[in-house]
């Protein structure tokens, strides 16, 4: 018996048994056979844990209490009491949308690398998320029960398979809110696809983050682990360590483990020893065996065609070899599976009609379920087992066949596209798509000398005996530090260091690069604070920015939601560009200022809104920040008991004033109703500093932490490397990489400083401003004559007020500006020659 130091909550799509009704309408247990149930159920019993899963009944069915096991029950779940089971009960339509519409119609073909069969539907994905949320709620109830009975324990929550990839973050959030400490793991029982396949799923970032809500993630083989790590790095921008198999996400390190599942080896040996002969007609008959669920991933058609080719190429096997194919019915209500059965029936009928003799038919076909005793006899008496899926997570049939080979040794033919193919080296590997080669391998297996068969089978049996299902469970418990004799500590990535940016930026930012550095302020340069006035940039960050701002061909721009005056005073560095109010106000180092026009109606509505918010809801710590182009209602300091009242009323006031609400960090913001945002502001800054062809001449970095920064990240896709600063559990972002904190931003700035510092003679060189010569306050302009409106003429030379320009950029002009998109990173970046005006367009 494998022992766990933690009480276990197993969360799977199904309970370890099915609840059905007998002829009298009473609920009864119907046992489920499977490696997961055999291995895990005894541990749940031993640790007095709980199992969360669907019972087989829907909400529309009249249900009662879960029945106890039959007193004569000898199955692995016999000791599992009804109080240890938490059934998930869902409406039939919702369950169908989740299970058939998403799990089986989307994830099954996609994860088996058959994207042409996958169907992507938003409503089915939403049903999947809702059902995962329901599983999460019941899992938290299970955790609470375990904590009540054993307050000092840390429950281990173990999520299983592709049905529950979105539950982890909800479980974690609810447990955190309740102060419940848990350890959480996920195991996938099917393959995990490569990045090229995974990226086809429209909500892939949400799915990856859902899995990363766990502390430990397990897959069958190392290839699946590396696929997952690669997807996390390329889609989410996570920092990873492939050698230790670690992924850092939201300031948490998630360990990834290859955990090849196996079978209860001794149980199958015992079954094979006892089972009577049920297959062979005579001792000289050789039997090929295939045992599969009727599914398009199993390669059944390819296998039958290979057998037909064998009979054509080697007619000496006629009347001496019989192919027994067991096909277990699956998803019989799905048209695709009905068509597969029809194709298989016709193919087998044609081959039997072509090759049958009065005393022999080449293929014996069983469409239905067989008992484990019968199956053990099939395995034992077969000369060759043909396990050749087109794609499979592991495939336990191969292992069951080996365990049952207690008599004359047979031969295993195995597809390399099954997870078992990576470890069962003594099997004969064959590509199921190569029909002629497949037939040759079958012939080799049928004619293999006994000494070679004995040698191969001996090695296969030894490995499967040592690495049985208990070995798998022990490996899992070690990986989550829940094995009583565990001395293995979980690895962790080191804190973010400058070396982490070398693989990201070294080929993009060269010593000769001209660099544009666009940065948000709150949450990026300065940590989020209870009040904006307290959000101070660390002195070290300011010093690095100052040094960067004085480097030749480095331009720094701060783009903030704060007012221009406020962000300029908070940063306090000369010689850089400031953009306030999400880019509605932009001030270049030479004094040139840009201001986007604001509709008069909006200004009137804004005054009404400002007055009402100040009078009605600026209470209990809520306050109003007034900007040049809008206002922000902050409720961060409102106590939890009053927050609901304040926020609901504030939203009502926004609606009554006719002003759209924009959600920020614990604040509501009013912005002008025009097509202008941080994305367009970023394009404007780059174009005015470097010219229309800026994307060919400049290496550009953007970093931000807010939803408003996503506008810039989308606008700069393909033209810049972007970073989202976030610790959110589940966040969609257009950024190419993620950073966990403002400290990581500082580390990135230090890396850039060292990278570009080599160009400085004696460590310093005076900046030459090239967007306009000193004293020249002519504002930059667009070559395509966009609609513009002058609010204020340029000030006299004696005035210190900068020149202001009001510019309204049409969609046509904006798209012309971003139409050229080279994809970073570039192998080189050449600084253009200096000119009196950088924006000379």
């Amino acid at each position: 018996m494998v022992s766990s130091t933690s009480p276990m909550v197993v969360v799977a799509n199904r309970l370890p048994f099915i609840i059905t009704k007998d002829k009298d309408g009473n609920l009864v247990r119907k046992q489920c056979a499977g490696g997961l149930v055999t291995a895990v159920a005894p541990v749940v019993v031993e640790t007095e844990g709980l199992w969360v899963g669907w019972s087989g009944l829907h909400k529309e069915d009249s249900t009662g209490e879960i029945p106890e096991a039959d007193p004569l029950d000898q199955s692995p779940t016999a000791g599992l009491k009804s109080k240890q089971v938490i059934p998930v009960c869902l409406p039939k339509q919702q369950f169908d949308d989740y299970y058939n519409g998403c799990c089986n119609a989307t994830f099954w073909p996609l994860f088996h690398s058959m994207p042409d069969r996958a169907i992507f539907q938003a409503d089915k994905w939403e049903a999947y998320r809702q059902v995962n949320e329901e599983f999460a709620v019941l899992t938290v109830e299970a955790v609470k029960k375990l904590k009540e009975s054993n307050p000092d324990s840390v429950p281990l929550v173990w999520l299983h398979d592709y049905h529950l990839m979105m539950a982890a973050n909800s479980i974690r959030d609810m447990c955190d809110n309740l102060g419940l400490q848990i350890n959480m793991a996920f195991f996938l029982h099917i393959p995990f696809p490569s990045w090229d396949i995974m990226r086809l799923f429209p909500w892939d970032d949400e799915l990856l983050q859902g899995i990363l809500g766990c502390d430990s993630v397990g897959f069958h083989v190392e290839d699946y682990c590396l696929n997952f790590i690669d997807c996390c790095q390329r889609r989410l921008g996570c920092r990873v360590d492939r050698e230790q198999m670690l992924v850092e996400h939201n300031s948490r390190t998630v360990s990834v483990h290859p955990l090849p599942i196996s079978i209860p080896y001794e149980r199958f040996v015992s079954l094979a020893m006892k089972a009577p002969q049920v297959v062979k007609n005579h001792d000289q008959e050789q039997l090929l065996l295939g045992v599969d669920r009727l599914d398009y991933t199993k390669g059944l058609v390819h296998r039958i065609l290979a057998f037909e080719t064998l009979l054509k190429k080697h007619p000496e096997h006629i009347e001496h070899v019989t192919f027994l194919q067991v096909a277990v019915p699956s998803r019989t209500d799905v048209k695709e599976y009905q068509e597969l059965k029809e194709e298989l029936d016709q193919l087998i009928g044609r081959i039997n009609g072509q090759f049958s003799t009065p005393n022999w038919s080449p293929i014996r076909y069983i469409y239905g379920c067989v008992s484990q005793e019968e199956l053990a006899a099939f395995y034992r008496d077969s000369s060759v087992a043909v396990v050749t899926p087109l794609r499979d997570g592991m495939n336990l049939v191969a292992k069951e066949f080996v365990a049952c080979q207690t008599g004359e040794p047979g031969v295993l033919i195995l597809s390399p596209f099954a997870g078992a193919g990576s470890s069962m080296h003594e099997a004969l590997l064959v590509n199921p798509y190569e029909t002629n080669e497949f037939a040759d391998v079958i012939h080799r297996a049928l004619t293999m000398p006994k000494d070679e068969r004995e040698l191969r089978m001996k090695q296969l049996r030894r490995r499967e005996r040592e690495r049985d299902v208990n070995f798998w469970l022990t490996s899992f418990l070690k990986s989550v530090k829940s094995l009583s004799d565990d001395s293995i500590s979980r690895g962790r990535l080191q804190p973010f260091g400058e070396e982490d940016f070398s693989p990201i930026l070294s080929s993009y930012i060269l010593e000769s690069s001209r660099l544009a550095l666009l940065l948000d302020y709150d949450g990026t340069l300065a940590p989020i604070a209870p009040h904006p006035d307290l959000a101070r940039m660390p002195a070290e960050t300011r010093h690095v920015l100052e040094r960067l701002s004085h480097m030749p061909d480095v331009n720094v721009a701060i783009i903030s939601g704060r007012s221009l005056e406020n962000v300029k005073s908070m940063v306090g560095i000369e010689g850089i560009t400031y953009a306030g109010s999400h880019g509605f106000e932009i001030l270049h180092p030479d004094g040139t200022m840009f201001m986007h026009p604001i509709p008069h109606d909006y200004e009137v509505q804004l005054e009404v809104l400002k007055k009402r918010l100040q009078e009605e809801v600026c209470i209990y710590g809520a306050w109003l920040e007034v900007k040049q182009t809008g206002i922000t209602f902050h409720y961060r300091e409102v106590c939890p008991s009053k927050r609901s009242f304040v926020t609901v009323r504030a939203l009502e006031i926004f609606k009554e004033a006719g002003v759209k609400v924009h959600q920020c960090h614990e604040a509501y913001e009013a912005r002008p109703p025009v097509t202008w945002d941080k994305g367009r502001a970023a394009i404007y800054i780059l174009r005015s500093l470097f010219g229309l062809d800026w994307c060919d001449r400049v290496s550009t970095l953007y970093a931000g932490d807010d939803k408003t920064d996503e506008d810039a990240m989308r606008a700069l896709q393909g033209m810049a490397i972007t970073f989202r600063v976030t610790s959110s559990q589940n966040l969609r972002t257009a950024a190419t990489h993620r950073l966990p904190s403002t400290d990581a931003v500082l580390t990135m700035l230090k890396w850039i400083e060292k990278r570009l510092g080599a160009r400085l003679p004696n460590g310093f060189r005076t900046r030459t401003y090239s967007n306009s010569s000193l004293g020249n306050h002519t504002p930059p302009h667009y070559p395509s004559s966009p609609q513009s409106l002058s609010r204020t003429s340029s000030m006299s030379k004696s005035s210190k007020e900068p020149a202001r320009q009001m510019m309204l950029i049409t969609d046509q002009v904006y798209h012309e500006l971003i139409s050229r998109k080279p994809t970073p990173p570039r192998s080189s970046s050449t600084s253009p020659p200096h000119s009196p005006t950088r924006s000379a367009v």
Side-chain angles (χ1 to χ4, degrees), residues 566-708:
N566 184 262
V567 69
K568 192 171 185 296
S569 65
M570 295 298 287
V571 177
I573 297 175
E574 296 298 325
I576 66 176
T577 297
Y578 290 98
S581 302
H582 303 293
F584 277 82
E585 307 169 277
I586 301 172
L587 178 63
H588 283 305
D590 66 347
T592 301
M593 176 175 275
F594 164 89
M595 296 183 69
H596 196 285
I598 301 172
H600 177 69
D601 292 346
Y602 167 75
E603 291 180 327
V604 173
Q605 292 171 319
L606 197 64
E607 285 300 317
V608 174
L609 176 64
K610 179 171 65 176
K611 182 179 179 182
R612 292 194 59 187
L613 289 174
Q614 286 174 333
E615 293 177 351
E616 299 183 40
V617 287
C618 284
I619 52 178
Y620 306 125
W623 61 284
L624 205 62
E625 179 185 3
V626 180
K627 306 175 185 179
Q628 182 73 23
T629 59
I631 56 176
T632 303
F633 175 73
H634 295 271
Y635 57 84
R636 182 179 294 126
E637 298 179 43
V638 178
C639 64
S641 61
K642 303 293 185 181
R643 180 170 292 192
S644 177
F645 166 77
V646 170
T647 54
V648 169
R649 184 60 190 138
L651 290 173
E652 291 173 350
I653 294 173
F654 268 88
K655 184 176 180 180
E656 291 165 4
V659 178
K660 183 179 178 180
V661 178
H662 296 271
Q663 179 73 58
C664 302
H665 289 298
E666 297 185 282
Y668 298 138
E669 190 169 48
R671 299 177 204 153
V674 296
T675 53
W676 189 261
D677 52 37
K678 281 189 176 182
R680 298 198 171 201
I683 297 293
Y684 173 85
I685 290 170
L686 292 164
R687 180 248 173 247
S688 59
L689 288 175
F690 304 107
L692 186 62
D693 60 344
W694 63 269
C695 55
D696 291 329
R697 306 162 61 196
V698 183
S699 297
T700 305
L701 300 185
Y702 186 99
D705 79 308
D706 196 80
K707 186 177 179 181
T708 59

Side-chain angles (χ1 to χ4, degrees), residues 446-602:
L446 290 169
T447 57
M448 183 179 290
K450 183 177 180 180
D451 58 345
E452 183 180 352
R453 285 187 278 122
E454 287 178 339
L455 179 62
R456 288 178 179 274
M457 189 55 64
K458 180 181 178 181
Q459 296 299 321
L460 285 167
R461 285 173 61 80
R462 179 185 58 80
R463 183 184 299 109
E464 297 310 318
R465 182 174 58 252
E466 293 173 354
R467 302 196 173 192
D468 65 354
V469 70
N470 287 328
F471 178 86
W472 170 72
L473 183 59
T474 300
S475 301
F476 164 71
L477 293 174
K478 281 184 178 180
S479 73
V480 294
K481 299 181 67 176
S482 291
L483 192 67
S484 56
D485 62 346
D486 180 30
S487 59
I488 300 175
S489 60
R490 183 183 303 151
R492 290 192 63 83
L493 282 170
Q494 295 298 313
F496 238 105
E498 293 177 29
E499 66 278 1
D500 289 296
F501 292 97
S502 295
I504 300 173
L505 301 176
S506 58
S507 62
Y508 185 56
I509 300 178
L510 308 178
E511 292 181 1
S512 60
S513 293
R514 171 172 260 181
L515 177 65
L517 195 57
L518 282 61
L519 304 167
D520 179 38
Y521 181 76
D522 294 277
T524 303
L525 294 175
I528 296 292
H531 192 283
D533 291 344
L534 302 177
R536 297 289 176 177
M537 184 165 55
E540 188 176 9
T541 305
R542 175 174 281 103
H543 294 155
V544 174
L545 273 180
E546 285 177 339
R547 292 193 292 269
L548 284 171
S549 70
H550 287 91
M551 283 186 177
D553 296 329
V554 176
N555 290 79
V556 180
I558 309 297
I559 307 179
S560 174
R562 293 170 178 259
S563 67
L564 180 63
E565 294 79 7
N566 184 262
V567 69
K568 192 171 185 296
S569 65
M570 295 298 287
V571 177
I573 297 175
E574 296 298 325
I576 66 176
T577 297
Y578 290 98
S581 302
H582 303 293
F584 277 82
E585 307 169 277
I586 301 172
L587 178 63
H588 283 305
D590 66 347
T592 301
M593 176 175 275
F594 164 89
M595 296 183 69
H596 196 285
I598 301 172
H600 177 69
D601 292 346
Y602 167 75

